[in-house]
Amino acid sequence: MKNLIVASTSTIYGGTYLDYLLETVSDLFAETDEIIFIPYARPGGISHDHYTEKTSEVFKKINKKVRGIHTFENPVEAIQHAKGVFTGGGNTFVLVSQLYSNRIMQPLREAIYKGLPYLGTSAGSNICGLTMQTTNDMPIVYPPSFKTLGAIPFNINPHYLDPIPGIKHMGETRETRIKEYHTQNSAPIIGLREGSWLEVKGDDITLRGIPSARVFEQDEDPYEIQTGTSLSHF
Amino acid sequence: MKNLIVASTSTIYGGTYLDYLLETVSDLFAETDEIIFIPYARPGGISHDHYTEKTSEVFKKINKKVRGIHTFENPVEAIQHAKGVFTGGGNTFVLVSQLYSNRIMQPLREAIYKGLPYLGTSAGSNICGLTMQTTNDMPIVYPPSFKTLGAIPFNINPHYLDPIPGIKHMGETRETRIKEYHTQNSAPIIGLREGSWLEVKGDDITLRGIPSARVFEQDEDPYEIQTGTSLSHF
């Protein structure tokens, strides 16, 4: 049965990397002390080694060893034998391109469907949806497809951002962008604000964390859902 | 010789559609009173007809007739015979997909190189660069390529946005996103703030309008350029 934490962000304002999620992560990975980290999204362009090291330091606090997927000779086998996987944030286009070029998109999907405990933050959460088409990132590389893991039956907009009152900038708000998505596509979108996450246990999907989330369905007005709300009906 | 206006936005804060640019547009299209409008980017998902009508109303003020490219039986011939073209803003992924599916990316490039007066705003400016890879838009459709017109020898980030002081949102700033672009690509990026535009006359490229612009070159610190600055050295 599926077992995922799909978080809006790795870091909340005023906090440090993963601190607000650490207890949740400890529960998710309760049955293993070895986690494979997927550093492909490279936030700010940092190296795979550096990103893995940064993650490893935090995971030490909950007594977990972290090894980067990039250090395995055969990443497909690594995924197939993994006891826990964490995909960090960064650029979703870079992440998806690397998942395809290393041929681990499908094996990762299969492992998740077989019960692999999976943690995603930001770009690592985006890929849990049907497609990466509601990422906020710049298309700095051209991936072979926008299709992603489909571990949940809708798409995520991580770092969901409400319109900023009084702003004089004329660029589209996040809500406008998501509405544009729905002129071309039908999948529901969950706008996950920073500090919230989805808990996926088998077929149950529940909103957790502090802020409410915003749900966008095609041809419907968007609406808020509070923490504890089930999204299993999608 | 090339003759383009490449504007950050169609509308500045407190203004109406194209009002701040109208004199410039009138000069650009001085030698024709018939403009072909490319409405493919569909801001907010509005129809091609509706978008063309909205643009037509503004162009009446400068005595120009506007016809949407979508009303021509043969859009390639329409571009080849055009005396002036305006591509409006909206979603760059949708725009680029439509330019490819209607096979007018290459004819439009050729016409621009032969001297076709061209106005772009927002997404319509993004496509003047080498690629669309520094768009701010969501990837709501999958285009066959990110390559665009290459009418200028760098890329544009329209609606360039400075970091907002005091914001508690942890998503990447525009500058961070552009720096991530440069971990994967080498083309310079011009961050065009709303109210500024590039004037392209032959091989001369000059920043015009009120705000300064921000230039990002790979492995260099970003820097500001003032209106009137030439970018012809790129």
Side-chain angles (χ1 to χ4, degrees):
Chain A
M1 74 164 216
K2 283 188 282 187
N3 187 17
L4 298 89
I5 298 293
V6 179
S8 174
T9 184
S10 65
T11 312
I12 57 175
Y13 181 76
T16 58
Y17 184 46
L18 293 171
D19 62 350
Y20 80 102
L21 259 183
L22 218 48
E23 203 178 308
T24 306
V25 172
S26 184
D27 289 348
L28 174 70
F29 295 131
E31 293 185 16
T32 181
D33 55 7
E34 295 203 350
I35 312 296
I36 293 183
F37 179 56
I38 301 182
Y40 292 155
R42 301 181 59 199
I46 66 171
S47 71
H48 294 153
D49 280 345
H50 184 175
Y51 198 12
T52 304
E53 178 60 29
K54 185 183 156 190
T55 301
S56 178
E57 277 170 28
V58 172
F59 273 69
K60 273 181 197 159
K61 296 182 194 170
I62 51 170
N63 300 310
K64 307 290 179 196
K65 275 189 206 159
V66 168
R67 182 170 168 190
I69 187 79
H70 64 292
T71 66
F72 288 87
E73 209 167 311
N74 187 329
V76 174
E77 277 183 14
I79 293 293
Q80 286 164 342
H81 298 131
K83 299 282 184 281
V85 165
F86 168 34
T87 305
N91 185 289
T92 312
F93 291 86
V94 177
L95 170 59
V96 168
S97 296
Q98 286 287 304
L99 289 172
Y100 277 113
S101 66
N102 290 296
R103 299 176 189 276
I104 57 177
M105 186 70 89
Q106 188 61 23
L108 182 55
R109 175 186 156 89
E110 286 165 12
I112 287 170
Y113 271 80
K114 284 180 193 157
L116 169 72
Y118 177 93
L119 169 66
T121 59
S122 193
S125 292
N126 239 317
I127 61 167
C128 292
L130 300 167
T131 74
M132 54 166 287
Q133 290 179 274
T134 47
T135 177
N136 308 307
D137 297 333
M138 273 188 180
I140 63 175
V141 297
Y142 185 71
S145 168
F146 286 160
K147 201 177 162 202
T148 47
L149 296 168
I152 46 178
F154 42 74
N155 279 358
I156 294 292
N157 179 247
H159 301 279
Y160 182 75
L161 185 62
D162 294 294
I164 299 165
I167 195 169
K168 294 180 179 178
H169 188 255
M170 302 295 284
E172 294 88 351
T173 63
R174 194 66 60 81
E175 183 158 322
T176 302
R177 293 173 194 281
I178 294 172
K179 284 182 178 169
E180 284 185 357
Y181 169 88
H182 276 143
T183 67
Q184 307 284 327
N185 307 276
S186 60
I189 307 300
I190 312 300
L192 279 180
R193 295 186 180 88
E194 293 171 351
S196 71
W197 64 91
L198 300 179
E199 175 192 274
V200 183
K201 297 271 184 200
D203 292 331
D204 293 334
I205 307 174
T206 312
L207 178 66
R208 301 290 183 199
I210 294 173
S212 61
R214 196 157 178 85
V215 181
F216 300 83
E217 296 185 64
Q218 195 179 31
D219 302 327
E220 304 283 344
D221 288 333
Y223 56 93
E224 293 288 310
I225 54 170
Q226 304 303 318
T227 188
T229 301
S230 169
L231 291 164
S232 313
H233 57 288
F234 280 118
Chain B
M1 74 164 217
K2 284 188 281 185
N3 187 17
L4 298 89
I5 298 293
V6 179
S8 174
T9 183
S10 66
T11 312
I12 56 174
Y13 181 77
T16 59
Y17 184 45
L18 292 171
D19 62 351
Y20 82 103
L21 260 182
L22 218 49
E23 205 179 306
T24 306
V25 172
S26 184
D27 289 347
L28 174 71
F29 295 131
E31 294 185 15
T32 181
D33 56 7
E34 295 204 349
I35 312 296
I36 293 182
F37 180 57
I38 301 181
Y40 293 155
R42 302 181 60 200
I46 67 171
S47 71
H48 294 154
D49 280 345
H50 184 175
Y51 197 11
T52 303
E53 177 61 29
K54 186 183 156 189
T55 301
S56 178
E57 277 171 28
V58 172
F59 273 70
K60 274 181 197 160
K61 296 182 194 170
I62 51 171
N63 300 310
K64 307 291 179 196
K65 274 189 206 159
V66 168
R67 182 170 168 191
I69 187 80
H70 63 291
T71 66
F72 288 87
E73 209 167 308
N74 187 329
V76 175
E77 277 184 14
I79 291 294
Q80 285 163 342
H81 298 133
K83 299 283 183 283
V85 165
F86 169 34
T87 306
N91 185 289
T92 312
F93 292 86
V94 177
L95 170 58
V96 168
S97 296
Q98 286 288 302
L99 290 172
Y100 277 112
S101 65
N102 290 297
R103 299 175 189 275
I104 57 177
M105 186 71 89
Q106 187 61 21
L108 182 55
R109 174 186 156 89
E110 286 165 13
I112 287 170
Y113 271 80
K114 284 181 193 157
L116 170 72
Y118 177 94
L119 169 66
T121 59
S122 192
S125 292
N126 239 317
I127 61 168
C128 292
L130 301 168
T131 74
M132 55 165 288
Q133 289 178 276
T134 46
T135 178
N136 308 307
D137 298 332
M138 273 187 179
I140 63 175
V141 296
Y142 184 71
S145 169
F146 287 160
K147 201 178 162 202
T148 47
L149 296 169
I152 46 178
F154 41 75
N155 279 358
I156 294 292
N157 179 247
H159 302 280
Y160 182 77
L161 185 62
D162 294 293
I164 299 165
I167 196 170
K168 294 180 178 176
H169 187 254
M170 303 295 284
E172 294 89 350
T173 64
R174 196 65 59 81
E175 183 158 323
T176 301
R177 294 174 192 281
I178 295 172
K179 284 183 180 169
E180 284 185 357
Y181 169 87
H182 276 144
T183 67
Q184 306 284 326
N185 306 276
S186 60
I189 307 301
I190 313 299
L192 279 180
R193 294 187 181 89
E194 293 171 351
S196 71
W197 64 90
L198 300 180
E199 175 192 273
V200 183
K201 298 270 185 202
D203 291 332
D204 293 333
I205 307 174
T206 312
L207 179 66
R208 301 290 183 199
I210 293 172
S212 61
R214 198 158 178 84
V215 181
F216 300 83
E217 296 185 64
Q218 195 179 33
D219 302 326
E220 304 284 343
D221 287 334
Y223 56 94
E224 293 289 310
I225 54 169
Q226 304 304 318
T227 189
T229 302
S230 169
L231 291 164
S232 313
H233 58 287
F234 280 119

